[in-house]
Amino acid sequence: MARAATTSDVFNAIAEPQRRDILLLLRDGERPATAIAEELGLSQPGTSKHLRVLREVGLVDDRRDGRQRVYRLDARGLEPVHEWAGGFERFWNESFERLDAYVQDLKRNGSAQ
């Protein structure tokens, strides 16, 4: 089955590690595209393409500041990812509860020796 276009949804957009790096940078505040490229060691054209994809799926907003385009995170676009990952919360909680029980058992058995 063919993979969906990168701009079709947030999951495809964030599948690219460099786009996730851009989102992490923007989590700390807005930045011009040139600063993003410099901080991540990316080319300007490559950065612009990644930012376009992120904008098209609703993960970043941009505004003009003189001759520069400044980008900021729009975390509301991550809601589908949050909802999907939240479906695994019960699994994680059960795993942590089992791990905690195991650690407590080790402590009891270790102190009895």
Side-chain angles (χ1 to χ4, degrees), residues 108-113:
R108 279 191 301 273
N109 291 335
S111 64
Q113 293 177 357

Side-chain angles (χ1 to χ4, degrees), residues 75-96:
R76 294 174 298 180
L78 289 169
E79 190 173 340
V81 176
H82 176 70
E83 289 174 0
W84 179 81
F88 294 95
E89 188 173 359
R90 183 176 54 97
F91 168 77
W92 294 326
N93 288 338
E94 289 171 359
S95 296
F96 287 132

Side-chain angles (χ1 to χ4, degrees), residues 6-113:
T6 327
T7 57
S8 66
D9 68 33
V10 68
F11 291 95
N12 284 314
I14 64 171
E16 165 61 49
Q18 291 173 330
R19 289 191 200 111
R20 292 193 305 267
D21 291 342
I22 291 170
L23 294 175
L24 288 173
L25 270 181
L26 294 177
R27 186 175 61 182
D28 294 332
E30 63 180 23
R31 285 181 167 72
T34 53
I36 294 169
E38 287 173 12
E39 288 184 55
L40 296 177
L42 303 173
S43 70
Q44 184 63 45
T47 300
S48 294
K49 288 178 184 179
H50 288 312
L51 287 165
R52 179 184 52 80
V53 169
L54 293 170
R55 188 178 61 241
E56 288 179 5
V57 298
L59 291 176
V60 299
D61 291 322
D62 65 318
R63 65 176 176 81
R64 284 279 203 203
D65 184 15
R67 296 179 60 164
Q68 291 186 330
R69 192 170 289 277
V70 179
Y71 291 85
R72 68 183 164 274
L73 176 65
D74 185 354
R76 294 174 298 180
L78 289 169
E79 190 173 340
V81 176
H82 176 70
E83 289 174 0
W84 179 81
F88 294 95
E89 188 173 359
R90 183 176 54 97
F91 168 77
W92 294 326
N93 288 338
E94 289 171 359
S95 296
F96 287 132
E97 287 168 7
R98 285 193 308 270
L99 179 60
D100 186 51
Y102 177 72
V103 169
Q104 295 305 320
D105 189 44
L106 285 177
K107 285 181 180 178
R108 279 191 301 273
N109 291 335
S111 64
Q113 293 177 357

